[in-house]
Amino acid sequence: MSPKVPQAYLDARRDEIIQAAYQCFEAKGFHNTTMQDIYEATKLSPGAVYNYFSSKEEIIISTMQKNTDWSIASVMPFLTQNQPDTLAKCLEFWLSRVREDKNNKYFNITLDFYAEATRNKDIHKAVTGSHDLMHNVIIEIIKQNQQKGLINKKLDPLSVARVIGGMIFGAAIHKMLDPNVDVDAYNQACAAMLTGVFATPPRPKK
């Protein structure tokens, strides 16, 4: 009888495969990445990789789930702060990620996920599940702000969360198309919309 492999070892090896695959996706996009690329990146045999993943699609979904776990862990501190400007700080954090994402690698892969979700039902399920998890955290922040009277209570929290997500990925798309986009100025405009200083009050008539 062969000795039982510790779960920690299995988890670590699985994470190594995900990380290696992610690097391949960064370099080539996941459509152009082959399983052979992943074998070479992991320095594992095909059989060893298939012990953990049955297909490239399963690796893609696991990669996205790993990103979601990191994203939620990054946003959770904003939820516990429960401060008046929590939502603006959360947006600022994500836009800083856009600014610091060299060659747009992180968001390029994310946009690949979204594009593939329109054609692949399993990836669609994974993407929408990821959105639901992220939205749930942002919704709690929005509800905190609504209870304090900082956000209009008549607004649907999910819709507000989606608008904020649109701001973030809008910035990523603009930067992908034009590397010189001023993300800090973009953040100022978004923050003005969130904090109610975007519109200039009309001047009184003389």
Side-chain angles (χ1 to χ4, degrees):
M1 183 176 178
S2 58
K4 185 177 180 179
V5 179
Q7 187 61 44
Y9 174 86
L10 296 174
D11 291 343
R13 181 52 61 90
R14 189 174 187 276
D15 285 345
E16 287 175 6
I17 295 171
I18 291 173
Q19 183 60 37
Y22 190 85
Q23 291 173 354
C24 292
F25 299 153
E26 281 187 335
K28 303 177 69 173
F30 61 68
H31 281 298
N32 293 324
T33 296
T34 65
M35 287 301 290
Q36 184 62 40
D37 292 326
I38 295 173
Y39 304 148
E40 292 175 0
T42 59
K43 297 181 173 59
L44 295 174
S45 67
V49 173
Y50 277 107
N51 281 336
Y52 297 89
F53 300 99
S54 62
S55 64
K56 186 177 80 169
E57 179 183 278
E58 189 175 332
I59 296 176
I60 290 169
I61 291 172
S62 296
T63 300
M64 184 174 58
Q65 290 170 339
K66 197 80 173 176
N67 280 352
T68 301
D69 291 343
W70 180 88
S71 297
I72 291 174
S74 299
V75 171
M76 285 303 294
F78 295 103
L79 177 60
T80 57
Q81 287 173 9
N82 194 15
Q83 297 296 319
D85 59 348
T86 296
L87 207 56
K89 284 184 176 179
C90 186
L91 178 63
E92 182 180 7
F93 166 77
W94 279 109
L95 290 178
S96 73
R97 290 284 299 172
V98 173
R99 184 183 60 247
E100 296 163 9
D101 184 17
K102 303 301 182 185
N103 300 317
N104 306 298
K105 290 182 177 180
Y106 176 86
F107 285 96
N108 283 359
I109 292 175
T110 303
L111 292 173
D112 279 347
F113 290 147
Y114 291 174
E116 189 64 17
T118 65
R119 298 182 288 267
N120 183 306
K121 65 178 182 179
D122 291 327
I123 292 180
H124 180 274
K125 182 179 179 180
V127 167
T128 54
S130 171
H131 275 198
D132 288 344
L133 291 172
M134 281 298 298
H135 285 156
N136 287 341
V137 178
I138 302 300
I139 283 170
E140 287 305 311
I141 296 175
I142 293 165
K143 287 180 176 179
Q144 286 179 357
N145 280 262
Q146 286 178 320
Q147 289 170 1
K148 293 178 178 180
L150 300 172
I151 294 178
N152 188 338
K153 292 182 179 181
K154 294 181 180 180
L155 295 176
D156 171 44
L158 175 57
S159 296
V160 176
R162 285 174 169 161
V163 167
I164 292 170
M167 289 177 172
I168 295 165
F169 281 99
I173 291 170
H174 283 300
K175 183 169 175 284
M176 179 177 65
L177 297 173
D178 179 4
N180 296 317
V181 165
D182 189 337
V183 179
D184 290 327
Y186 185 100
N187 176 57
Q188 289 176 357
C190 291
M193 293 178 186
L194 290 178
T195 57
V197 297
F198 179 75
T200 301
R203 295 180 179 179
K205 294 181 179 180
K206 294 182 179 180

